[in-house]
Amino acid sequence: MGVSRTEIFSEQQNRLADLAKAFAHPARVAILQMLMAKKACVCGDLVGELGLAQATVSQHLKELKRIGIIQGEINPPRVCYCINPPVWEEAKQAFGALLDTRVEVSCC
Amino acid sequence: MGVSRTEIFSEQQNRLADLAKAFAHPARVAILQMLMAKKACVCGDLVGELGLAQATVSQHLKELKRIGIIQGEINPPRVCYCINPPVWEEAKQAFGALLDTRVEVSCC
DNA sequence: GTCAATGATCGCAATATTGCGATATAAACT
DNA sequence: AGTTTATATCGCAATATTGCGATCATTGAC
């Protein structure tokens, strides 16, 4: 009945799916790209760059924090967000392991 | 009001988000892993391996086909699904380009 | 033609996501 | 204490996703 059946999948599969969610919305891709490029790291600046309301950006940041791929450093009255290197590395490994597998042409 | 604002993001960002959606559900991760491992490629076999109903699996396959990362070859009365190498490569490039960017430790 | 097998699609219910205005919170400053 | 600034959270509405039973469509076998 519409409930996500996470229990029937492996920890690894669920984690990879969660990491993928960090990239599965263009706003979050844009946020991560900005953080990587150090174009902006303060919430307010991100709001300015993206065309979205502050509440919306804050929610995307919250989701990225939940996944663990970014961390927020409180620097009153601002919060400076940045990539969390260990989780970024985890994502690189996880996607790399799957994507670098050789794809064979023939099927069946 | 809840509509995804794809128009304010770049083509590239929207495409990467779409590619990420292929991996953003554990069932789709499992399907892609099975296709890669050639453990199963026929819809019915996938249904057997996953613990999900046939209709549900068919829908995930449809979504993966929409993204383009898999293709279905009709082999009556079965359909054999397999990875679509060009799009797989596209995903590898897209994720690689973003994830391989050097993460600097300091922030602000 | 009918039948069985396989997969796609429909229709529905439950839940999740996206977005935003309004409000709450927290800290620095007066 | 009151004000300002920056961010988080609440509450709501709209839409998307997930899941499944039932049904439809296609093909091969009879």
Side-chain angles (χ1 to χ4, degrees):
Chain A
M1 300 137 179
V3 250
S4 227
R5 313 267 312 264
T6 59
E7 74 281 2
I8 68 173
F9 301 104
S10 72
E11 268 304 313
Q12 210 201 67
Q13 287 165 337
N14 282 310
R15 179 56 177 161
L16 182 56
D18 231 30
L19 286 170
K21 278 180 196 163
F23 301 97
H25 190 288
R28 293 198 289 271
V29 171
I31 289 171
L32 291 171
Q33 286 176 333
M34 284 185 220
L35 294 184
M36 289 300 283
K38 301 219 170 287
K39 195 174 175 184
C41 67
V42 174
C43 174
D45 295 345
L46 294 168
V47 173
E49 293 284 335
L50 301 165
L52 294 170
Q54 184 264 322
T56 306
V57 174
S58 196
Q59 223 172 284
H60 282 301
L61 289 168
K62 186 182 177 183
E63 175 68 0
L64 291 171
K65 255 195 300 185
R66 182 191 66 75
I67 295 163
I69 206 162
I70 67 169
Q71 56 194 155
E73 191 182 316
I74 297 164
N75 196 347
R78 288 149 215 245
V79 178
C80 169
Y81 284 100
C82 49
I83 301 292
N84 187 13
V87 177
W88 189 266
E89 194 61 31
E90 182 194 356
K92 183 151 61 171
Q93 297 290 327
F95 283 104
L98 185 55
L99 287 166
D100 290 343
T101 309
R102 185 176 147 53
V103 183
E104 281 160 55
V105 187
S106 76
C107 172
C108 297
Chain B
M1 299 140 180
V3 249
S4 229
R5 312 267 312 264
T6 58
E7 75 280 3
I8 67 173
F9 302 104
S10 72
E11 268 305 313
Q12 209 201 66
Q13 288 165 337
N14 282 311
R15 179 58 178 160
L16 181 55
D18 232 29
L19 287 169
K21 278 180 197 162
F23 302 97
H25 190 288
R28 293 197 290 268
V29 171
I31 289 171
L32 292 171
Q33 286 175 334
M34 283 184 220
L35 295 184
M36 289 300 283
K38 300 218 170 288
K39 195 173 176 182
C41 67
V42 174
C43 175
D45 296 345
L46 294 168
V47 173
E49 293 284 335
L50 300 166
L52 294 170
Q54 184 264 322
T56 306
V57 174
S58 196
Q59 225 172 284
H60 282 302
L61 290 169
K62 186 182 179 185
E63 174 68 1
L64 290 171
K65 254 195 301 185
R66 183 192 63 78
I67 295 163
I69 206 160
I70 68 169
Q71 55 194 155
E73 191 181 316
I74 297 164
N75 198 347
R78 289 146 215 248
V79 179
C80 168
Y81 285 99
C82 50
I83 301 291
N84 188 13
V87 177
W88 189 265
E89 194 60 33
E90 182 194 355
K92 183 151 60 171
Q93 297 290 328
F95 282 105
L98 184 53
L99 286 165
D100 289 344
T101 308
R102 186 177 146 53
V103 183
E104 282 160 53
V105 189
S106 76
C107 171
C108 299

